[in-house]
Amino acid sequence: MHHKATQPVLFIPHGAGPCFFMDWNPPTTWNGMAEFLANVSTSLPEPPRAILMVSAHWLAPEFTVTSGQQPDLIYDYYGFPEHTYQLSYPAEGMPSLASEVVSRLKAAGIEAHEDAHRGFDHGMFIPLKLMFPEADIPVVQLSLKADMDPVSHLEAGEALTGLREEGVLIIGSGMSFHNMRGYGDARYTQPSETFNDWLVNAVHDTPAERKRALGNWTTAPHARDCHPPRAEEHLIPLMVAAGAADADQGRTVYTENVLKTRLSGFRFG
């Protein structure tokens, strides 16, 4: 199949553990986010040839990709109902894309590795079960770098932007607010909304200003109330997405208060 359309880049919220596939109280808590995720595919120019997924739930010393042909699922959530550990998502890997990601990163002077044994974590399969339920599009996961330096993640995204013209959908999977103590606490509503306003402005800005702002995200108002020190892994996938956006403007495609905190999703291109 010949791909002409350039795929956009997404930053999506992936919820809490397997939240979309179990009972929650109140039952409608995750409905808006689930609906957003389920509708993403209809907004794409054509079905992606492959997906490059950057999940908050994989940190490695250097950027690393899943290079196996059929990675297993990693049920890396704890204390949830038994049936959620039986969820399946039989998407294939794509070793050729994995090696291309590594090549592009290395060509930009960025250290990168393949891991043929690493599985797909829940930051990949939980949202993809809603977005592409057929599991018929191959997926490669790209880790975060454990230092979580925003600039190096923006630069990694910049090195990978050319994949979009090859029909690869690049998705950052995280949460724009992720402070476990803050969820469900009304004292965090206003701080999360203030930070969200800053984040939306940064994403919507010109690419140069966007990069400058996101590279300095810790100076944003209430940054550390929303993403505590050494626990910002749910924000950093946005940096890879914003880098891969290249000259494309960002826009907000999802925003909602969930668990008394403001959450947003973004699209570039």
Side-chain angles (χ1 to χ4, degrees), residues 182 185-194 257 259-262:
D185 185 341
R187 292 172 299 181
Y188 281 82
T189 304
Q190 193 56 57
S192 74
E193 290 182 340
T194 301
N257 275 29
L259 303 180
K260 302 193 168 105
T261 65
R262 172 64 66 167

Side-chain angles (χ1 to χ4, degrees), residues 45-131:
E46 66 187 10
R49 179 176 69 92
I51 293 166
L52 180 63
M53 194 86 177
V54 186
S55 164
H57 292 281
W58 185 18
L59 280 75
E62 304 288 349
F63 289 110
T64 307
V65 289
T66 57
S67 59
Q69 184 62 56
Q70 185 78 58
D72 294 324
L73 300 191
I74 305 171
Y75 299 95
D76 51 344
Y77 40 79
Y78 307 97
F80 288 94
E82 181 56 35
H83 76 269
T84 64
Y85 299 92
Q86 314 300 323
L87 293 170
S88 69
Y89 193 75
E92 291 190 359
M94 193 175 186
S96 61
L97 176 59
S99 61
E100 186 176 358
V101 168
V102 168
S103 298
R104 285 175 180 266
L105 290 171
K106 286 184 168 172
I110 299 168
E111 188 58 49
H113 302 280
E114 293 184 22
D115 184 339
H117 303 291
R118 169 77 190 190
F120 292 140
D121 62 60
H122 81 274
M124 174 276 197
F125 69 83
I126 293 296
L128 287 185
K129 278 181 74 66
L130 291 169
M131 297 169 74

Side-chain angles (χ1 to χ4, degrees), residues 9 154 157-158 203 210 214 237-246 248 268:
V9 188
L154 285 156
E158 289 169 2
V203 165
R210 173 180 76 210
L214 293 176
L238 171 62
M239 308 311 166
V240 182
D246 193 37
D248 285 327
F268 305 88

Side-chain angles (χ1 to χ4, degrees), residues 217-230:
W217 75 271
T218 57
T219 64
H222 293 295
R224 287 305 189 183
D225 294 325
C226 298
H227 298 278
R230 292 175 304 286

